[in-house]
Amino acid sequence: MATVYLHIGTPKTGTSFLQNFFQDNRAVLEKQGYVYPDFKMTFQGVGKARNGHFLAYRKEDAESVYNTAMDLMVQEFCQKFDKIILSEEALWNYGVNIEKFVNDMKAQNHVVRIVVYLRRQDLYLQSKWAQNVKETSKVTFLEFIENPSNVLDYYEHLCSLQDIVGTENMLVRVYEKQQFIGDTKDLRSDFFETVGLSWDEEFKLPEKVKNPSLAGVYLETKRKLNQYPEFATKLNFVVPYLYAAAEKNEGVASYSENKYFTYEQQIDFLKQYEESNAKVAKEFLGREDGILFKDEIVDNKEPAVTYSEEEFFAVLSEVIVMQNQKLLEEKDLKAAKIQELKETKAAKAAKEKELKATKDKAAKDLKEQKEQKEKKDKEIKNEDIIKGYEYEKSDDWVALY
């Protein structure tokens, strides 16, 4: 019997970090009897590390994709490993296949345990809105929170998942640094502790953030640019320049430090989830005090941030300078490659010319040797003829006959 740890997010809780960590450390995981399956599937706009995406996939060939992945799960991975890790954050909001998956695994005598991290709703929405703007959205933050279209009533949703897998198979964690457990008290160690993994010196931690953030005036600049079709794309060329400018001037962005709510809006917004969050704390984490999130909401006494035209122009100017610098570097690189190609071509031509000259000289020498030999052979032949003629005229020849 295999145990499947189905990590379903929630979104914006370090899922990219965990997925890339597991993808990069498959061999080390397998030494401990865990596998992070590679189904050899690719989905447009979805990172390869999200190995559980077949459960969230909703296009017309979804059934075929599901069946292919399940064949590999049952016939290969469940046969070789006792512990299997799948990860896909979209399952929190669009988990229509979770029940089918759990039932199919149960039919094969395997167990599915759901691992889910909960982030305080206001911080989650800030992060989600910023991610949407980074990609294509042009709505303001206040417009976004009026209709967030995300599952924010954690208790209700967790209960529906509990009905599918059972209480004992719900592993609910809180996405707050002060609540992480394990050897290093971070997300990695917390997940390890939750699923029973042990740290090994062979594990490699990702060197770079796989899903970097934009914030502040750099994010607002992208939102304004999204009004134009050329910029409202997921992989837009301007985003890397905005990252670079933000990191250069302000360091790596952190959504927990960049507030899009005012303090009053924040308190007001969270009130609607107080009861739900308290039930999650009591029923899923065994906390009698009903406290789910422990990070303090700080009133910085400042109004919501707005930006002037001068600040937008400053950002765009920096982007233009960076792009121009890159174009110049690419031009120089192209010129260097052309020069290198010319030099390589010239060197090749010179070598070919030298080789031809060597071959021509060898052919000429051979010809001269042949001609000299022929001349010598001819001279020898002529000498023999003369000698024969002289012999015929000699007394020896007359005496013979």
Side-chain angles (χ1 to χ4, degrees), residues 11 22 33 36 66 93 95 117 119 129 134 169 171 185 190 217 228 233 260 268 276-277 286 310 326 331 339 361 388:
F22 292 135
Y36 192 67
Y66 176 86
N93 289 312
Y117 281 83
R119 189 172 188 174
W129 172 73
K134 188 177 82 172
N169 294 316
L171 302 174
K185 301 290 190 294
D190 191 278
V217 68
Y228 307 99
T233 57
Y260 304 107
D268 236 22
S276 171
N277 289 350
E310 287 77 9
K326 185 178 179 184
K331 184 179 178 182
Q339 183 61 32
K361 186 177 183 304

Side-chain angles (χ1 to χ4, degrees), residues 133-281:
V133 170
K134 188 177 82 172
E135 294 174 357
T136 62
S137 178
K138 56 189 178 186
V139 302
T140 66
F141 180 67
L142 292 180
E143 290 169 339
F144 175 72
I145 62 174
E146 285 176 8
N147 184 27
S149 67
N150 290 272
V151 179
L152 297 177
D153 187 326
Y154 295 155
Y155 179 73
E156 181 182 348
H157 198 46
L158 288 173
C159 285
S160 67
L161 293 169
Q162 181 178 242
D163 289 342
I164 296 171
V165 299
T167 306
E168 70 281 7
N169 294 316
M170 290 293 296
L171 302 174
V172 179
R173 304 298 305 146
V174 180
Y175 188 72
E176 283 186 349
K177 186 171 179 58
Q178 66 169 302
Q179 298 199 51
F180 288 146
I181 58 176
D183 53 351
T184 51
K185 301 290 190 294
D186 55 19
L187 177 61
R188 191 276 311 159
S189 69
D190 191 278
F191 193 96
F192 270 37
E193 193 79 14
T194 301
V195 303
L197 273 164
S198 301
W199 175 253
D200 187 303
E201 290 303 322
E202 291 185 51
F203 279 122
K204 297 179 297 182
L205 290 170
E207 293 181 7
K208 296 177 71 176
V209 178
K210 297 285 184 176
N211 190 16
S213 308
L214 278 180
V217 68
Y218 305 97
L219 185 66
E220 185 62 11
T221 299
K222 180 62 167 69
R223 188 187 72 79
K224 287 183 176 293
L225 288 173
N226 286 343
Q227 298 174 59
Y228 307 99
E230 307 85 45
F231 295 96
T233 57
K234 203 169 184 179
L235 300 175
N236 185 260
F237 81 93
V238 79
V239 172
Y241 296 115
L242 291 171
Y243 285 148
E247 190 168 353
K248 173 186 170 186
N249 298 321
E250 299 183 6
V252 177
S254 168
Y255 291 126
S256 61
E257 296 170 1
N258 291 276
K259 293 177 64 174
Y260 304 107
F261 286 101
T262 63
Y263 178 73
E264 291 75 18
Q265 287 170 336
Q266 205 167 5
I267 295 298
D268 236 22
F269 178 79
L270 287 173
K271 275 182 181 176
Q272 63 188 308
Y273 301 110
E274 279 181 358
E275 185 179 347
S276 171
N277 289 350
K279 287 180 179 179
V280 171

Side-chain angles (χ1 to χ4, degrees), residues 286-299:
R287 298 177 181 174
E288 291 303 319
D289 60 10
I291 296 175
L292 181 60
F293 299 108
K294 298 183 179 181
D295 284 352
E296 185 183 358
I297 303 172
V298 179
D299 182 3

Side-chain angles (χ1 to χ4, degrees), residues 52-83:
H53 189 71
F54 71 93
L55 293 171
Y57 186 66
R58 294 179 290 166
K59 294 190 177 179
E60 57 186 24
D61 58 337
E63 185 176 355
S64 172
V65 166
Y66 176 86
N67 291 336
T68 299
M70 284 301 295
D71 285 345
L72 285 169
M73 278 288 293
V74 173
Q75 296 172 20
E76 182 177 341
F77 300 117
C78 289
Q79 300 301 318
K80 295 180 180 177
F81 300 94
D82 294 330
K83 308 287 177 63

Side-chain angles (χ1 to χ4, degrees), residues 327-338:
L327 290 172
L328 290 174
E329 288 172 0
E330 288 176 348
K331 184 179 178 182
D332 290 343
L333 185 61
K334 187 177 179 181
K337 284 185 176 179
I338 291 172

